[in-house]
Amino acid sequence: MTHHSSSWTEHHTRLVALVRASPALMGALRAVRMLGLGSWCIGAGAVRSLVWDDLHGFAEPTPLDDVDVVYFDPAREGTEHDAALEHRLRQEMPSVVWEVTNQATVHHWFARHLGQPVAPLESLEDGVGTWPEIATCVGVFLRADDSIGVVAPHGLDDLFNLIVRHNPVRADARTYRERVASKRFAARWPLLSIRPA
């Protein structure tokens, strides 16, 4: 993956250090790694909150609504597999609300729930790159040797520069605005710069 931004290395190093220093996130990463998924990461709120809490100097981490686990496996079609994985993770870490999604099947969900025909995603990175805010399009995973991998198709600048910006790849402007309001970004992290959609 090529990143032309000189800030990539700096942000990447900082993100890995923050993840490593979070016992909760490291525990979650170890739990997901045990599932033996080929291509996966924990993304969205778990990563975003970690970075924004740090940049705001919060002593206590912002409580997470859930931990989003995404993986990519075109061989698994139904949602039963996701539910089975969630069940295994709940047994491992019952205190966490787990949400597991196979990015290879997301297009079925869009068709069923939103009546939107969308093209199937082609990779984990492709999926992470569709999330509604650029700053949220970041995931982390734990390799077998305990090194931490980062999935950030749009880079890490928005996340570390506290910028909330609409990612139009798949979410419309209304969805973005509703999320910004419902997630109370401005109230929870007052230093954010929230851009209109």
Side-chain angles (χ1 to χ4, degrees):
M1 190 167 38
T2 54
H3 285 275
H4 304 293
S5 124
S6 57
S7 55
W8 166 258
T9 313
E10 188 188 325
H11 291 338
H12 182 275
T13 305
R14 182 93 194 96
L15 178 57
V16 168
L18 287 172
V19 172
R20 183 85 58 206
S22 164
L25 191 47
M26 286 302 293
L29 285 167
R30 284 192 198 95
V32 180
R33 183 176 62 183
M34 286 185 347
L35 299 174
L37 300 167
S39 178
W40 66 274
C41 67
I42 288 177
V47 176
R48 183 188 62 216
S49 298
L50 180 73
V51 172
W52 288 352
D53 285 354
D54 178 68
L55 294 171
H56 279 73
F58 294 166
E60 286 296 311
T62 299
L64 290 174
D65 302 327
D66 54 26
V67 171
D68 288 295
V69 178
V70 292
Y71 69 104
F72 190 82
D73 184 355
R76 299 278 184 183
E77 268 304 313
T79 50
E80 302 79 23
H81 189 60
D82 295 358
L85 294 173
E86 279 173 19
H87 179 71
R88 284 173 61 188
L89 288 170
R90 269 199 305 276
Q91 287 178 307
E92 192 60 35
M93 286 179 80
S95 61
V96 175
V97 178
W98 296 95
E99 193 163 309
V100 179
T101 312
N102 182 358
Q103 297 291 289
T105 63
V106 166
H107 58 287
H108 297 309
W109 185 90
F110 269 87
R112 236 191 346 266
H113 293 273
L114 304 175
Q116 275 181 310
V118 295
L121 297 164
E122 288 172 21
S123 67
L124 180 71
E125 192 158 282
D126 204 13
V128 172
T130 64
W131 293 344
E133 308 91 26
I134 299 285
T136 300
C137 298
V138 178
V140 292
F141 59 95
L142 194 61
R143 298 187 183 96
D145 66 358
D146 271 352
S147 64
I148 293 166
V150 175
V151 180
H154 302 297
L156 296 168
D157 287 354
D158 276 23
L159 179 63
F160 278 90
N161 295 333
L162 297 165
I163 293 168
V164 180
R165 204 158 35 118
H166 177 217
N167 173 18
V169 174
R170 195 155 273 188
D172 61 20
R174 194 191 65 181
T175 302
Y176 166 75
R177 284 193 291 269
E178 285 170 357
R179 276 176 56 92
V180 167
S182 72
K183 294 187 175 290
R184 298 179 40 254
F185 285 154
R188 292 161 81 178
W189 295 285
L191 300 177
L192 290 175
S193 164
I194 297 176
R195 307 285 163 87

